Amino acid sequence: MPSLVVVGTQWGDEGKGKIVDQLAERADLVVRFQGGANAGHTIYVGEEKFVFHLLPSGILHEKCIVAIGNGVVLDPEILMDEINTLEDHGFSVSPENLKISPLAHVVMPYHKRLDELQEMRKSEGKVGTTKRGIGPCYEDKMARIGIRVMDLIDEERLSKRLRYALELKNDLITKIYGGEPFTYDELFEEYADYGRRLDDFVYDVSYLINDFLDNNKKVLFEGAQATCLDIDFGTYPFVTSSSTTIGGAITGSGVAPKRLEEILGIVKAYTTRVGEGMFPTELTGEIGQRIRDIAGEYGASTGRPRRCGWLDLLMLKYAVRINGITSIALTRLDVLDSFETINAATGYTLEGAEIEEFSPFILSLGELKPVFRTFKGWQKGITEVTTYEDLPEEARTYIAFIEEYLNVPVSIVSVGPRRDQTIIRPGYTLL
Ligand code: GDP
Ligand code: IMO
Ligand code: MG
């Protein structure tokens, strides 16, 4: 199929980067369409580890072009770092293989400072953001005072836009939050320089995607964050500031919905969350710590320990509905190898009432107690298994239940971080 969208189904870090890298082997173009450097997508090539915050995860494949769509908020400092690191590892990043939409908004230093100051001010109600300036940058986009990539590469426009925005931002930083202001000259010099370095990469990404699809080339859309972090459909206010679900792929890249064919939902075999907010299947005791230790569940962007819990099938059913997921990649199944029993939530109770549907509204009503279905663990290592049939019967039972509950097939099972630890089930070409 010529187009495939990868979306996270939980609270992020499901292994999107690994799966995108895997599928990008067959892709002609990989597009990021939302979020920014709050994302941390990890890829292993042999023993070598890469974590991408802004560059699409197809960049490691020589024949693959990667694009940053208009829906992304781009931090040039982090992008330049990523490009330099890759070049140090012998990969080439040039205007030939990286295209950046002129319409993407730029994360400025004042966005990052405001992200911190706003979180400090909120104290109890804080979101636990990545402090990468994501929320404040999207705020400016909506308020129509943002700076776009097209402004960055035109000194006159940059000067005008920056003067206007900075006056407002400095007022906010100093008068409301008591923080340190920025000077126009230092920001202008630094960002005009980024503009000069990025100029050759600027390209009409929407045109490129549609042209590729017209010519039957394969386009992969790489979501960042996940369904329950979506600004509309997530567990608001503990969410990120972009549309992480399928709608974001459309508005964040300039492609029509009917051109999106396969929607691949990435599902971690249990659940994690970084930052604050509700989490019905969270395991705060020994079992949660055991998952965290086995899996090394620490944030790829911030290093924070991830909160761990059992799989929440109601939440996944919701993600299937919102995104129109056509198949699932089940990742990190090997993390459960040593467990005697494994739980998955198939319902909640709220003050004695039974609940069978997930919704952010229901989650806000009070403390939901999960109703678990318990599965027998397989208690053997699966990291070297290469075919679905060779997975232990107990693991296949767990997968079959997920498929039946969601009425969606599991097309990929991931049993380790490496490329060769990926089982693509027969009959699924995906891209
Ligand atoms: P993303 O943000 O969705 O791309 O996910 P992250 O990269 O933040 O976190 C996923 C982590 O799980 C990374 O460290 C991956 O290397 C790792 N990973 C991905 N798939 C598997 C798997 O099947 N098994 C194991 N053990 N680790 C995996
Ligand atoms: P990937 O793409 C996990 C979380 C933050 C915080 C909330 C808001 O690697 O799955 P923000 O900085 O976006 O304003 O923070 O969203 N968050 C993520 N959690 N994975 C991510 O990305 C995340 N990006 C943001 O921890 O709770
Ligand atoms: Mg991540």
Side-chain angles (χ1 to χ4, degrees):
M1 277 187 217
S3 75
L4 180 143
V5 187
V6 160
V7 286
T9 56
Q10 296 157 315
W11 279 296
D13 304 325
E14 295 90 351
K16 298 176 290 291
K18 178 199 152 154
I19 300 295
V20 170
D21 167 68
Q22 191 82 25
L23 297 175
E25 202 181 353
R26 289 196 292 273
D28 296 296
L29 175 63
V30 178
V31 187
R32 272 279 308 265
F33 54 83
Q34 46 69 230
N38 48 349
H41 294 181
T42 316
I43 299 168
Y44 279 89
V45 182
E47 295 301 307
E48 224 164 358
K49 178 180 173 180
F50 297 89
V51 181
F52 294 120
H53 302 289
L54 276 166
L55 281 172
S57 301
I59 190 73
L60 300 177
H61 296 276
E62 210 182 314
K63 285 197 211 112
C64 190
I65 294 176
V66 299
I68 295 178
N70 58 282
V72 170
V73 286
L74 185 146
D75 184 330
E77 192 183 348
I78 295 183
L79 181 67
M80 284 301 167
D81 262 5
E82 281 188 358
I83 293 175
N84 291 338
T85 306
L86 268 184
E87 289 187 330
D88 289 347
H89 283 79
F91 291 88
S92 135
V93 184
S94 72
E96 296 300 308
N97 67 346
L98 170 64
K99 313 284 181 186
I100 301 173
S101 168
L103 308 180
H105 279 249
V106 178
V107 177
M108 300 294 289
Y110 49 77
H111 292 135
K112 290 185 259 194
R113 189 165 296 171
L114 279 166
D115 200 350
E116 275 202 35
L117 291 167
Q118 285 170 355
E119 281 283 275
M120 263 158 41
R121 172 66 70 91
K122 279 181 194 154
S123 67
E124 254 182 35
K126 75 177 176 20
V127 176
T129 73
T130 59
K131 304 208 174 99
R132 297 287 165 96
I134 306 299
C137 185
Y138 279 116
E139 277 176 40
D140 281 5
K141 173 177 177 171
M142 294 307 169
R144 293 159 293 186
I145 55 168
I147 291 174
R148 294 186 287 178
V149 169
M150 61 189 275
D151 304 321
L152 213 56
I153 61 173
D154 178 326
E155 288 200 4
E156 215 173 291
R157 239 187 352 234
L158 175 62
S159 167
K160 215 165 127 196
R161 300 285 302 167
L162 181 61
R163 268 191 207 285
Y164 178 60
L166 191 60
E167 203 184 316
L168 292 169
K169 295 293 139 179
N170 272 341
D171 269 359
L172 193 59
I173 289 169
T174 55
K175 294 182 186 158
I176 304 290
Y177 295 108
E180 282 296 307
F182 289 91
T183 63
Y184 167 85
D185 287 344
E186 67 180 351
L187 288 191
F188 179 78
E189 282 312 315
E190 191 183 350
Y191 281 76
D193 184 49
Y194 285 132
R196 285 188 288 274
R197 287 150 76 184
L198 290 177
D199 198 3
D200 290 343
F201 294 93
V202 176
Y203 202 87
D204 186 335
V205 170
S206 166
Y207 175 85
L208 182 72
I209 295 168
N210 284 278
D211 184 50
F212 267 45
L213 291 173
D214 288 344
N215 289 291
N216 222 23
K217 291 191 182 164
K218 294 175 177 180
V219 183
L220 199 166
F221 297 84
E222 176 179 4
Q225 290 82 50
T227 304
C228 289
L229 288 172
D230 184 273
I231 186 74
D232 288 284
F233 297 108
T235 46
Y236 192 92
F238 305 105
V239 294
T240 190
S241 300
S242 67
S243 296
T244 60
T245 47
I246 194 67
I250 296 158
T251 58
S253 74
V255 68
K258 67 177 180 187
R259 305 207 84 166
L260 304 178
E261 294 174 42
E262 187 79 27
I263 319 290
L264 182 67
I266 315 298
V267 174
K268 197 183 277 201
Y270 48 94
T271 312
T272 59
R273 170 161 214 176
V274 209
E276 309 300 319
M278 41 293 236
F279 184 170
T281 63
E282 182 168 13
L283 294 160
T284 48
E286 211 179 293
I287 303 177
Q289 187 59 43
R290 189 167 153 202
I291 295 178
R292 186 159 40 247
D293 289 345
I294 295 172
E297 288 289 3
Y298 296 90
S301 285
T302 57
R304 289 178 291 175
R306 294 174 182 152
R307 298 156 65 193
C308 298
W310 293 120
L311 194 67
D312 186 336
L313 284 165
L314 289 86
M315 182 170 146
L316 296 182
K317 199 183 229 177
Y318 174 75
V320 167
R321 162 156 62 90
I322 298 292
N323 295 293
I325 288 169
T326 52
S327 84
I328 282 169
L330 186 67
T331 63
R332 309 209 81 172
L333 190 62
D334 55 296
V335 169
L336 302 178
D337 278 356
S338 65
F339 285 81
E340 306 75 46
T341 55
I342 293 159
N343 285 342
T346 53
Y348 308 126
T349 58
L350 177 64
E351 290 158 12
E354 287 177 19
I355 291 166
E356 286 179 355
E357 292 291 332
F358 177 101
S359 91
F361 172 61
I362 289 170
L363 254 67
S364 73
L365 293 178
E367 204 183 321
L368 298 170
K369 291 208 169 26
V371 177
F372 286 120
R373 172 148 181 145
T374 302
F375 298 83
K376 194 163 173 276
W378 41 96
Q379 297 196 272
K380 43 172 102 81
I382 59 167
T383 52
E384 300 308 320
V385 174
T386 55
T387 65
Y388 189 76
E389 290 65 38
D390 289 337
L391 284 171
E393 194 186 337
E394 294 86 350
R396 281 184 282 127
T397 303
Y398 184 56
I399 296 169
F401 187 82
I402 295 171
E403 289 182 310
E404 192 188 329
Y405 186 93
L406 301 177
N407 197 22
V408 174
V410 170
S411 52
I412 298 178
V413 181
S414 175
V415 293
R418 297 193 318 261
R419 284 174 172 171
D420 62 348
Q421 291 174 307
T422 317
I423 301 168
I424 301 186
R425 287 172 80 180
Y428 292 98
T429 324
L430 293 169
L431 192 70

